[in-house]
């Protein structure tokens, strides 16, 4: 079949467009997106498809041989769901739950067969109901019954205790999206330290506004979370800036690929390991270990502490968030300085 010159020119033009579009850089970016897609599926399904409690910190209030027997019985449960330890009295058990040192406690009644289980659904409704199920089965096997007391109940408008998690996810999304937009609009790598500083200032302003907006929405507007609006505002500003600064830092070092790396850290690794849908003791070992050291996990823990635990046990997660914020700021500025120096070094070489 013969081809006319017009047909040949069109075919040549089409092949040329394809060749121009499918560059090595574009190919690598597409492969990177595919990798992120598969990692997203593997991370979320891997973390959340089969939640099981493992070594949940758990108190036992009893005396003498009864305490030893109860702790031993709970330690021997199949799969080791609990990590039991004796607690002096009910007041101590309640204090340790509010301090987030333990997630529940069994108070053994020495004068009868009806014991008391203390839980805290504010730390995760799924974990509280799981503890109730485990302890009920153990007590039934011993011919005893148990009543459940929720010492830090989740808000009636906070279904399954997920509002803290979704709030933090929203702040994280705001952080890396703002940084990504700055990269797309003005270049992934800032041209000099001044422009890097301007991006960080913009990021800080967005963090302040976004932090306040999120705190007001979940508090006064929706009534989803109790706790101080001011404290949640500060937390939201810190989370948003920490994620944004980290994204700017990754962009400063790796260019546009840094956006993908930020998604990998915050969305793919951070969200399923945050203890949102299932608290940390119910996650597989890998996600359980990395969760507290990533912004979504540190943020979710702190938001729940503010809402339900009187602000207790916040120091470590806040330090984690500050570390991300400070490291992101310093690396962003350093990357800009090194870029300028590299360009100044290359200019004489190119002139020669």
């Amino acid at each position: 079949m013969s081809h006319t010159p017009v047909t040949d020119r069109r075919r040549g033009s089409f092949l040329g467009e394809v060749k121009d579009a499918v560059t090595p850089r574009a190919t690598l970016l597409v492969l990177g997106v595919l990798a992120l897609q598969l990692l997203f599926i593997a991370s979320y399904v891997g973390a959340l498809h089969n939640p099981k409690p493992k070594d949940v910190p758990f108190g036992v209030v009893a005396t003498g041989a009864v305490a030893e027997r109860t702790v031993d019985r709970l330690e021997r449960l199949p799969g080791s769901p609990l990590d039991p330890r004796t607690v002096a009295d009910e007041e101590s058990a309640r204090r340790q739950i509010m301090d987030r040192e333990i997630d529940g406690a069994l108070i053994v009644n020495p004068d009868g067969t009806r014991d008391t289980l203390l839980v805290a659904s504010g730390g995760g409704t799924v974990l509280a109901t799981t503890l109730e199920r485990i302890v009920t089965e153990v007590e039934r096997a011993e011919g005893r019954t148990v009543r459940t007391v929720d010492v830090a109940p989740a808000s009636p408008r906070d279904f399954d205790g997920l509002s803290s998690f979704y709030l933090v996810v929203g702040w994280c999304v705001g952080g890396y999206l703002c940084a990504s937009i700055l990269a797309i609009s003005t270049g992934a790598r800032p041209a000099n330290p001044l422009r890097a500083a301007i991006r960080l200032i913009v990021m800080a302003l967005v963090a302040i506004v976004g932090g306040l907006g999120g705190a007001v929405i979940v508090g006064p507007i929706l009534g989803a979370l109790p706790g101080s609006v001011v404290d949640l505002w500060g937390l939201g500003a810190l989370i948003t800036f920490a994620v944004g600064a980290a994204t700017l830092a990754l962009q400063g070092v790796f260019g546009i690929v840094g956006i993908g790396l930020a998604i990998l850290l915050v969305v793919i690794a951070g969200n399923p390991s945050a203890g949102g849908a299932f608290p940390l003791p119910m996650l597989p070992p890998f996600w359980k270990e990395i969760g507290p050291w990533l912004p979504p996990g540190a943020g979710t823990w702190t938001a729940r502490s503010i809402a339900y635990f009187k602000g207790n046990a916040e120091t470590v997660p806040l330090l984690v968030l500050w570390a991300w914020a400070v490291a992101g700021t310093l690396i962003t500025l350093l990357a800009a300085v090194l870029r300028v120096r590299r360009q100044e070094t290359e200019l004489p070489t190119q002139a020669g």
Side-chain angles (χ1 to χ4, degrees):
M1 180 178 177
S2 62
H3 300 281
T4 66
V6 172
T7 302
D8 289 339
R9 284 197 301 270
R10 287 177 178 174
R11 178 175 295 177
S13 176
F14 173 75
L15 293 176
E17 291 293 337
V18 171
K19 183 178 179 180
D20 290 340
V22 186
T23 62
R25 182 172 183 271
T27 301
L28 288 175
L29 289 175
V30 170
L31 291 175
V33 171
L34 178 61
L36 287 176
Q37 178 190 55
L38 298 179
L39 286 171
F40 184 98
I41 295 170
S43 183
Y44 277 71
V45 177
L48 307 177
H49 77 289
N50 188 27
K52 293 181 180 178
K54 179 71 174 178
D55 295 328
V56 180
F58 190 79
V60 174
V61 178
T63 57
V66 174
E68 294 180 7
R69 185 169 63 251
T70 304
V71 169
D72 182 68
R73 185 168 70 249
L74 296 177
E75 283 181 338
R76 295 176 179 273
L77 291 175
S80 186
L82 303 180
D83 178 20
R85 73 287 305 269
T86 57
V87 179
D89 50 37
E90 180 176 347
E91 181 181 354
S92 298
R94 287 176 176 268
R95 184 179 66 252
Q96 289 186 33
I97 291 174
M98 292 303 298
D99 289 341
R100 309 199 74 177
E101 296 175 6
I102 58 177
D103 291 305
L106 177 64
I107 304 171
V108 180
N109 181 2
D111 301 319
T113 60
R114 185 173 175 81
D115 301 326
T116 300
L117 171 66
L118 304 181
V119 297
S121 62
T125 303
V126 174
L127 180 58
T129 56
T130 299
L131 290 177
E132 185 175 11
R133 175 182 57 79
I134 292 172
V135 173
T136 299
E137 292 176 357
V138 172
E139 293 282 90
R140 185 183 299 117
E142 296 291 319
R144 303 179 68 86
T145 59
V146 63
R147 69 183 184 97
T148 302
V149 176
D150 196 341
V151 299
S155 167
R157 296 186 180 182
D158 182 12
F159 179 74
D160 273 357
L162 291 174
S163 297
S164 300
F165 171 62
Y166 289 130
L167 174 64
V168 170
V169 167
W171 282 329
C172 289
V173 169
Y176 71 72
L177 279 184
C178 180
S180 300
I181 289 171
L182 291 173
I184 293 170
S185 61
T186 59
R189 294 183 175 96
N192 53 58
L194 176 59
R195 292 189 179 182
I198 291 173
R199 291 189 184 189
L200 288 167
I201 292 171
V202 171
M203 194 68 254
L205 294 174
V206 169
I208 292 170
V209 176
L212 175 59
V216 171
I217 289 171
V218 301
I221 294 179
L222 297 180
L225 286 180
S228 168
V229 172
V230 173
D231 288 348
L232 287 174
W233 177 13
L235 175 64
L238 177 57
I239 292 172
T240 305
F241 182 79
V243 172
T247 305
L248 290 175
L250 290 169
Q251 292 169 176
V253 175
F254 298 103
I256 199 70
V257 175
I259 296 176
L261 295 176
I263 293 173
L264 175 64
L265 285 172
V266 177
V267 179
I268 295 176
N271 285 354
S273 65
F278 301 109
L280 292 177
M282 300 189 71
L283 296 179
F286 173 75
W287 288 269
K288 180 179 179 179
E289 293 301 322
I290 68 171
W293 309 108
L294 297 174
T300 299
W301 177 277
T302 307
R304 283 176 171 164
S305 289
I306 291 172
Y308 298 118
F309 297 93
K310 301 179 180 180
N312 295 328
E314 291 182 350
T315 302
V316 172
L318 285 176
L319 287 175
V320 169
L321 292 170
W322 274 109
W324 280 89
V326 172
T329 299
L330 294 179
I331 293 173
T332 299
L333 294 173
L334 180 60
V337 171
L338 293 177
R339 186 183 187 197
V340 170
R341 290 182 180 178
R342 184 167 57 251
Q343 290 174 341
E344 291 174 348
T345 303
E346 291 173 353
L347 285 176
T349 304
Q350 292 173 355

